[in-house]
Amino acid sequence: MTAPCKRAPSPDQSWPVPITPVPTEEAHRIESERAQAAQSCETGDTDFSQYIVYEDDWLLAIDKPVGAYCETVERKLAAAYPKERIVLAHRLDRDTGGVLLLTRCPQATKAVGRTFTEGLVKKSYLALCCPTKDTGVEIARPNFRLKDEVVVSTGHGRSKFGLWRVYSEDDVGAKLPGGSKVRSMETRFAVYSNNVSSSSGETSRAAEVEIDSSHGHERPSTEASSNANTHTTSQLNAGSPAQPSEGIILRAYPVTGRTHQIRLHAAHIGYPLVGDVRYGGPEVWDSRKWTNHLLHAMELSFPDPRSIDKTITIAAKLPEW
């Protein structure tokens, strides 16, 4: 049987050009070492039930440790609960810790899957970021102050066998090599804590937060702000070189759910995650070598699949960084 022949693009075919750069060879080496280290978790005897932070008859949630693949968590919890059908409700990157939700029965899998598809799940993350050093490439970087919010809207995609990249918002819907298309990607960032020097030389040590008494941890207000702005590359000012231990903790609220979304958008605005070597973050920061990127899934909120009048909110502990 002869495979159907597809017409190759003409030589003058113009593809969308990604905004984010290609990772360095050193970044590829480090990522490979981290992936190999994660395999020990796959073959080891880690008991993920010790990380459970929420459970009922339909659902199970853990505070996932960094360095563990979600598929490993699913497989080991399924072995721990052999009479149940344990299925991942969503995924976190290998080196992202925090709230990971799983379902325990087919009814829950179907119902929770629908809430994710319909965009009814609210997520919030903490990210420790470091302003990129001046490499001669223009970087879109907002000058964050306390209470600031920035909404980043871009395109997202990858060509066949390629890496996930940021594209211009104008390229959304455009076709990429291999047949995929650029999709929209949007993230809202809010300042949680900041010691990055501003243009005036000032630093901010802690953000104004409100206490979530139901979970005992602090969180910045999630109310809509009239001061929130939507930024594109052309609207933000280029940044300046970072100081050795400058850092900013951002609260990230993904509006869409694209692969590596927060990591890509943080790097795009000039604040890559500490440890995120793939997207330009430093491996060594504040005199310490980091073996993972510093991104933590803090909270997950969604309608109870058994009661439309009830909302379930699951929170993880604050990370130790």
Side-chain angles (χ1 to χ4, degrees):
M1 183 176 180
T2 303
C5 179
K6 295 184 179 181
R7 181 173 61 86
S10 60
D12 60 348
Q13 171 73 59
S14 58
W15 303 107
V17 178
I19 297 172
T20 45
V22 176
T24 64
E25 289 298 322
E26 178 67 6
H28 282 300
R29 182 190 65 77
I30 295 171
E31 280 291 314
S32 178
E33 290 178 352
R34 292 177 179 179
Q36 291 175 16
Q39 292 302 319
S40 62
C41 182
E42 172 70 25
T43 57
D45 57 357
T46 304
D47 178 14
F48 288 102
S49 62
Q50 66 181 306
Y51 300 111
I52 292 175
V53 292
Y54 176 88
E55 63 178 322
D56 59 31
D57 293 340
W58 276 33
L59 306 171
L60 191 66
I62 71 165
D63 188 345
K64 186 184 87 66
V66 299
Y69 288 105
C70 289
E71 292 76 12
T72 302
V73 173
E74 180 185 54
R75 181 178 62 80
K76 294 202 170 187
L77 284 176
Y81 296 87
K83 295 183 179 180
E84 302 180 21
R85 184 183 174 187
I86 304 296
V87 177
L88 289 167
H90 64 119
R91 283 173 169 74
L92 297 176
D93 293 339
R94 177 195 66 218
D95 290 336
T96 298
V99 179
L100 178 67
L101 181 67
L102 303 98
T103 56
R104 308 179 75 164
C105 62
Q107 302 98 308
T109 302
K110 182 178 180 180
V112 173
R114 187 166 53 247
T115 64
F116 275 90
T117 301
E118 295 176 355
L120 301 177
V121 179
K122 296 180 180 179
K123 307 175 187 178
S124 69
Y125 294 75
L126 283 182
L128 177 53
C129 307
C130 176
T132 49
K133 296 180 180 179
D134 189 2
T135 60
V137 178
E138 183 175 350
I139 298 171
R141 181 186 298 131
N143 198 6
F144 279 121
R145 297 177 183 275
L146 296 188
K147 304 181 184 179
D148 274 359
E149 291 188 359
V150 173
V151 179
V152 184
S153 297
T154 67
H156 170 273
R158 68 174 176 182
S159 57
K160 191 174 183 180
F161 307 122
L163 298 173
W164 295 109
R165 309 282 288 280
V166 173
Y167 289 83
S168 167
E169 195 171 19
D170 294 336
D171 289 328
V172 172
K175 198 170 183 178
L176 294 167
S180 62
K181 292 184 177 180
V182 178
R183 303 175 69 187
S184 62
M185 177 167 65
E186 184 173 316
T187 310
R188 180 167 62 90
F189 291 103
V191 177
Y192 188 87
S193 180
N194 184 8
N195 75 334
V196 178
S197 298
S198 68
S199 57
S200 62
E202 299 174 345
T203 60
S204 303
R205 302 299 300 184
E208 180 175 308
V209 297
E210 61 180 17
I211 301 298
D212 180 6
S213 58
S214 62
H215 297 96
H217 65 276
E218 297 179 333
R219 65 179 184 184
S221 174
T222 57
E223 296 179 0
S225 171
S226 59
N227 294 324
N229 296 303
T230 300
H231 294 280
T232 61
T233 304
S234 61
Q235 293 173 312
L236 296 176
N237 297 322
S240 56
Q243 298 303 313
S245 61
E246 285 190 332
I248 181 170
I249 298 180
L250 297 176
R251 194 90 181 212
Y253 305 90
V255 179
T256 52
R258 310 299 181 215
T259 303
H260 296 181
Q261 173 169 325
I262 296 171
R263 297 166 61 190
L264 282 163
H265 268 168
H268 173 60
I269 61 174
Y271 290 94
L273 274 59
V274 170
D276 195 1
V277 295
R278 172 175 289 184
Y279 297 123
E283 181 186 22
V284 177
W285 180 82
D286 203 20
S287 302
R288 175 176 171 181
K289 181 178 179 180
W290 298 88
T291 58
N292 59 279
H293 59 250
L294 302 189
L295 180 64
H296 193 68
M298 275 302 302
E299 192 171 276
L300 196 68
S301 181
F302 55 95
D304 189 326
R306 294 162 299 181
S307 175
I308 60 175
D309 297 326
K310 181 181 177 182
T311 298
I312 296 176
T313 300
I314 305 171
K317 295 180 180 178
L318 286 168
E320 296 183 354
W321 34 262

